Amino acid sequence: MQKPEDHTRNKVTPDELNPDSLIWTSKWLSIRQVSWGAFLLVLAIFVLLPLLPTASKTLDEWQVKLPLTFTQLVSPGELSSGHKLFGKQCSTCHQQPLHAVTDSSCQSCHKQVKQHAVSSKAKTTQLDELPCITCHEDHKGEVGLISHWNDQCLNCHNTVRTGSDNRTVARVKNFVVDHPQFQLSVTGNAGSVSRVLNKPGITEHTELKFSHKLHLDKQGISTPLGEIMLSCKDCHRLEQDAQRFSPQTMQSSCQLSDCHSQDYAEPAFGTIPHGNLKLALAGLEEKYLELLKNGEVSQADCASGAGKKILSPRDCAHQLALKNAETSLVRGNLLCAGCHTVVPNANENLPWKIVPPTLNRDWYPVAKFSHRKHDTQPCTHCHDKENSKNSGEVSIPGIEVCRECHADENPNHKQIRTSCDNCHRYHRGKPAVQ
Amino acid sequence: MLAISQRPTILGLRQFLYLKVGTGLVVLSALAYILYHKHDIKSFGGTWLGYVLGIIGALIILLLLWYGVRKRVIPRQVSPDSGAENSAPSPRKRFKRSAKFALQDWLSSHVYLGLALPIIVTLHSGFQFGINLSTLTYLLMLGVIVSGLYGLYVSMNYPGLLTQNSDNSNLAALFSELEELDEVIRQRAVDLPEESRIILNKSCELALQNEGLKTRLTGIAVNCPNAAAIRHIHKIYNKNNELYNLEGIKEIYTTVLHKDKLLLRIRTELMLMTRMRIWRYLHIPFSLALLAALLAHIFSVIYFW
Amino acid sequence: MSEFQIAIIGAGPGGLAAAARAAKLGVSHVLLEASGNLANTIYNFQKRKYVMAEPARLPLRGEISFAAASREQILQAWQHEVTALGVNLKLHAAVSGIQGERGNFAISLATGELIAAQQVILAIGLQGNVRKLGVAGETLSGVQYQLADPDEYVEETIVVVGAGDAGVENALALANKNKVFIINRNEEFSSCKAANLALLETAIKAGKVAVRTGARTEKIEINTDAKFPLNYFVNTPHNKEIIPCHRVIARLGALPPRKLVESFGVRFPNAEPTAVPQLSEHYESNVAGLYIIGALAGCPLIKQAMNQGYEVVEHILGHEVTPADEVLLQEKFTRISVHLTVAEGISLLRRNHPLLNSLTTLQLREVVLESTITSPEPETVLFHQLDFSSSLYSILQGEVEIHIAMPDAGTKVIKLFAGDFFGEIGLLSGRRRSGTAIAGKDCILIETPRSAMLKLLTTNESVQRSLDEVSLKRIIRSNLGGEFTEQELDDLVHGSVLKRYNEGDLFFKEKDAVDGLYMIRRGSVTVSREIEGKETVLGYVAAGNYFGEMALLSNQPRSATVRAATYTEAVLLHADQVKLLLSRNAAMRRNVDSTHLKNLQSNANNKFAESSEMVRFLVDQGIGEGTDVLLIDYDRCLRCDNCEYACAQVHDGVSLLHRRAGVTFHNIHIPTSCRHCEHPHCMKDCPPDAIRRSSSGEVYIAESCIGCGNCQRNCPYGVITMLSPAKQHVRTNFWAVIFGEKQHVGENRDEHKKASKCDMCKGLADGPACVHSCPSGAAMRLSPEEVMEALS
């Protein structure tokens, strides 16, 4: 094709008006050149730059001074709050290219973290090989360092596991369907502790006579301060860990509203101290001595026939005190014997002994549980104590109560998602950062 | 006019096949996200769902980039029945042949997969952004898609406008018409005084020259020498100056007005063509930058595993 | 007056070969050459043109060597051989007359010299004598009648006389570096191709070529002025003018040799310009002792002419000579199941090929040489319905079944036997085969290609007549459907007329009286009606269909106007006879009625009327004669030119379509690209028969192209380009796309050019790359029927 050529003057031809020629870049660079330029630029910034610190230790150290380090350019997401401290220097954790972060990286700080189980007991070395990053992946936001997902646990616990000590760990696939019933730690005779499956009707030896029913009477109970209605919290105070309650004491629990003030019976009125029977007897003796001195009690009240000799006032007071104690303190339904088990003692001067109560505070000692998180519910929802007359009746809820609200990882809309680590701890011992 | 025009466009190709494919991918991704996304952590793509969505997204990006290669590398696959001239050719086989996966299928899928991409990739990101490569990659992708959408708009609308504007003619013909008009103006200008002649000659020599990108994009030339010529001729016509031959002036006036219309047509054509092409100056560099960012993104994930 | 045993006229390849043989055998001879050069036609080829040696399989005989080589090499070798053999060559010896016959020929030369000879071999070719200016100064140096290398002249003033294609092309080629005047005898440039005219107009507009129309050359004189050696005097209707110039190039065409040859007493079979004198098998004409060889004898190829020269001399000397083609013919006959000698084969052909009955043995041999003789296994499919193939088959033995699948009436089977021929509908219409041909038992067929058949038809009237008669009957049968008795058919054919129309010619006008039913054998027509004073196209009817039944059935005058959309041949059946037949033949009546109904419905559909201008545009652009046209929907086209790019990728770096160069109407753009015409213009005059049509319809150029450029000149749509094979075939691969490898398309003058055109990416699985690689689906390749369907 011949094209009409310009013969007269400097004239624009259609080809020169080719739109491409008017776009400024095309004067120097073609689209292709611009494109490959952009390609190489991006590669240089995001591949070459982040690689440089790998090659040079000095550069790696130096780059921390920058507001955004070379390697941070390719950070896939926000670090957990604890790791932000050193987050500018990726090599802190990413010590070896093409390899995942190793435990040694983690353990340079986290020195005392223990494994899940002792591998010799668990009869598997698999646990030792599980690297930290199995559950602790970073770059997932400030609080995303711990994986709360059950898959990893279930990987092992989907079969019955028996350790070398013949302890078995049951098969679990799903909290709702086949998680085994919880095991209670209950107190037995003489303070022994045994583990039993949680079921209704379990009792333990508390060596304390106490009726929740009586104290929680809806009509209220009469006290020196008048008629009052007690609530659980009046006696049970949650500890800091929100899991356990502080131990009940005479003072903090029983002597609220001036109840159980431990008055002696007539004629020796007064208060006896709690907690030491010897001291209580001595106090009583002193009281009788005083009464003898004042003549309010006559020497004749002493049983003198036995030795035909007149007893000294102290001996008389001692005799009277023992007598009093026999009737009012240890034999009646009030005072010591009202709550405690009193047993005879071979000592002539202290013929009784009070068995110390063994109150259990930790029925599920290894589980994590927060009462605070459950304070939307009344205590009695889980702990059926309103009709309990005997303090030995265990009212710790079993798994079925949990399941009323808690489901596994895929709850329906009325349930709460629950993962293993909501109740179970993974690491043995307590985590500590150095 | 022709029933030819009622054939499906690249958007409606094969009963919206590629729209369906794109929508299907989006729906599947969204379903997977809803079912498997662990809502309590900021995933940043680092879950198996994230990886799967990321791989799908990367594959789509590569496929879309391959369009640029496919457009230029013409397949030369030899048909199995060629060579054997007389070995039972099926009747009208030629028309069957053209029903295969053609470039317009590529373009159609390019459009719809490109539109599905931001959704899939957003799900991949888990809606987490930051100052890092991943977000840059995301932004580059958006840049490619936005420029591509503009390209789609002009590609769907401007060919018709171009056809209307050129009105059975073409640019070369318009230019030769322009040259003829210039010749007429030049000849008529010979008898005019110096001042007018210079202005008219400028119109002939400089019209369309040195018009920048702005003119090409808007179709409006601010200092068009022909517009100056029109104003000038109009002025002297109104002055009724006896230096001029009024009839001649009238004729020149008609001619420059005609030329103005012609220039408008040429500029409109160039404007449409420029707009139809200029987006590629963003689309293609963005695409390759995206490719680089994507490679770096994948590389860094593997390198800093 | 000198006397020779053999006088050879024309020192072209044939003449040279004859003279060389005579010289070798020591026979007294003279070789007369009108020009000053050996092989003047080749001498006038463009410089360094590569000359092909076709047909490659034909062995060369005689003393003169010939193999494909450049013009210079060939001429040099021949000069050398002629001198070495001692050929008695007489240059500048134009023959003006020959009298007498064998033994006493008297050859008079233009110079007045008389030469006596016993035998004459006429080998003057078809180029004839270049027409001279015929004015004073016509032989001055600087006045020339050809242009070998336009680049030879720089910054000269050149007058080109003659406004035919040759003149215009020369003027255009020279105009780049010279000041050119073109002298046209007429007021308009009507004798050159449209494409050349367009280029010329551009060049004139650009001031590169100056024109003088209605101009006559008065004389040419030597200019004493040192600046211009010549003064060219020209008379125009208005004034006289003297153009000082460096050079006058006159391209006035050649005097056809026919008149001259007839003046020697040689008879031609008909008045067709392409007719070839009737010759015996030894190339002897009706004048005893006057032999005609080479292009004038219908053998335009160099090698054939040279062999003929050798054979004629041998024959004259009484030597037994088997034609050079004997081996080739024998090969053809031995490849079939029954072994035949050439003579047996030829006689079988005579017996069982009624079409060729009237041919001379020489002509028969030629037909056989170009044909294929096969004995296909029974059940072999020769061609399928809807295939594009246009060769003619004749049954020499056995039978063949033609299966015609009807759209709604199952398959019709026609049995043909020895003596019948088939395939003529495809041959004549240039369209798809109308049926599937399946070989029967013990079948021997001769398949003659279209080109050979067309040559035969133009040279032999009786072949044409018998072909017409049979094809008419078949057309009637296939068109009208019903069962006819042979008698009825004969009557119809007898009363029918074969009519030929050029593009735009009227068949009949609205309201004309009814003359009959037209069946289109070749071409296509548009049906239009006057609506609001404008002729509005309503429909399009292609070959293989009929029209005119409406008025015939309704007994009303014509309801529409019908024009030829391209060159069209139609058979007119007389109205009365058709009516008579219809009244007797219920099946046929039903058939015609249903067509009638369909046409009525389509006429009622006035959407067509809206697109009437579009139809006219499309017809103007050659849709009427195309089979597959590249259309671009400009409302979709992104103007990205990926179609051209794709085309270039598939075709060695050169795009065979030019998107911007085409024409547009509304949203339809027809780029410069091949239409794959029913009767391709390019195929018309291809010496090596390199332009072919594959069975799926693609018109393509085979490797054997000799680069003569005939096809390029013959194509009215300007879609053929002459290209040297690109120096480097850069095919873009993945890496080239990535790194932007540049296309390397070097036009290397040293290499011979070949014609290139769209082959619709024949053989590629994905079809035409332009369509397949159009991102927006704007490009489509459609058959005219599909286009017209899309219009309605």
Side-chain angles (χ1 to χ4, degrees), chain B residues 126-147:
Chain B
F127 300 91
Q128 304 299 325
F129 304 100
I131 304 171
N132 55 22
L133 172 60
S134 319
T135 306
L136 176 84
T137 311
Y138 186 80
L139 291 178
L140 284 172
M141 183 196 73
L142 287 187
V144 177
I145 290 166
V146 169
S147 58

Side-chain angles (χ1 to χ4, degrees), chain B residues 2-3 7 77 79 94 163 168, chain C residues 628 634 636 666 763 765 790-791:
Chain B
L2 271 179
R7 293 169 317 131
Q77 193 201 341
S79 76
R94 192 169 53 70
T163 309
N168 300 346
Chain C
D628 193 291
Y634 253 15
R636 295 273 174 81
H666 290 303
L791 277 173

Side-chain angles (χ1 to χ4, degrees), chain C residues 535-787:
Chain C
E535 196 174 312
T536 303
V537 178
L538 298 171
Y540 170 86
V541 185
N545 298 300
Y546 59 90
F547 60 90
E549 83 294 338
M550 281 195 169
L552 202 71
L553 291 175
S554 60
N555 282 321
Q556 299 284 317
R558 294 290 188 195
S559 61
T561 304
V562 172
R563 285 177 191 280
T566 177
Y567 171 78
T568 302
E569 291 176 6
V571 181
L572 170 62
L573 302 182
H574 200 269
D576 297 338
Q577 277 170 319
V578 176
K579 279 185 195 164
L580 193 70
L581 254 181
L582 283 176
S583 65
R584 273 193 294 193
N585 195 323
M588 172 177 156
R589 173 85 200 202
R590 260 200 309 282
N591 204 326
V592 175
D593 275 349
S594 77
T595 310
H596 177 52
L597 203 66
K598 228 177 349 188
N599 286 349
L600 275 178
Q601 280 162 354
S602 97
N603 278 6
N605 190 348
N606 59 358
K607 263 191 211 157
F608 221 29
E610 283 169 27
S611 48
S612 147
E613 278 180 24
M614 180 64 86
V615 174
R616 186 143 307 291
F617 162 74
L618 291 171
V619 165
D620 283 347
Q621 286 307 316
I623 278 243
E625 63 174 328
T627 62
D628 193 291
V629 186
L630 178 61
L631 294 182
I632 297 180
D633 180 353
Y634 253 15
D635 282 348
R636 295 273 174 81
C637 174
L638 307 178
R639 274 64 162 183
C640 64
D641 285 336
N642 209 45
C643 43
E644 285 188 20
Y645 178 85
C647 184
Q649 289 305 306
V650 177
H651 300 102
D652 296 338
V654 182
S655 174
L656 302 175
L657 81 97
H658 197 326
R659 181 187 64 80
R660 264 176 293 181
V663 281
T664 319
F665 187 74
H666 290 303
N667 63 332
I668 295 303
H669 178 75
I670 304 187
T672 302
S673 172
C674 182
R675 282 106 166 111
H676 298 270
C677 301
E678 286 172 351
H679 291 274
H681 299 273
C682 51
M683 236 188 241
K684 237 182 263 171
D685 189 14
C686 178
D689 205 10
I691 303 190
R692 294 173 200 161
R693 161 161 257 151
S694 74
S695 68
S696 42
E698 303 95 345
V699 176
Y700 64 98
I701 301 180
E703 286 296 310
S704 55
C705 170
I706 56 170
C708 66
N710 282 354
C711 48
Q712 187 193 25
R713 284 184 286 277
N714 282 333
C715 175
Y717 308 109
V719 303
I720 299 181
T721 33
M722 304 301 296
L723 292 166
S724 352
K727 240 184 178 177
Q728 212 180 335
H729 292 191
V730 173
R731 290 187 155 175
T732 301
N733 54 23
F734 174 75
W735 296 111
V737 171
I738 300 293
F739 298 113
E741 200 170 327
K742 285 266 188 294
Q743 291 279 311
H744 249 300
V745 185
E747 283 246 332
N748 189 350
R749 291 190 147 269
D750 287 326
E751 282 189 82
H752 57 285
K753 291 187 174 184
K754 282 192 172 194
S756 294
K757 70 175 283 297
C758 165
D759 57 0
M760 276 204 274
C761 299
K762 186 168 125 3
L764 288 196
D766 291 325
C770 47
V771 175
H772 190 258
S773 297
C774 177
S776 63
M780 52 209 142
R781 277 202 160 273
L782 298 175
S783 71
E785 286 91 341
E786 285 166 322
V787 174

Side-chain angles (χ1 to χ4, degrees), chain A residues 340-361:
Chain A
H340 294 290
T341 314
V342 183
V343 291
N345 196 6
N347 189 337
E348 198 180 301
N349 288 330
L350 192 62
W352 314 286
K353 196 163 69 173
I354 291 177
V355 181
T358 49
L359 290 186
N360 195 353
R361 289 207 301 148

Side-chain angles (χ1 to χ4, degrees), chain A residues 9 11 17 73 75 98, chain B residues 132-133 175 182 186 216 303:
Chain A
R9 62 195 170 266
K11 186 87 196 176
L17 289 170
L73 287 172
S75 162
L98 302 177
Chain B
N132 55 22
L133 172 60
F175 267 88
D182 280 350
R186 220 181 283 273
R216 287 292 157 265
Y303 191 83

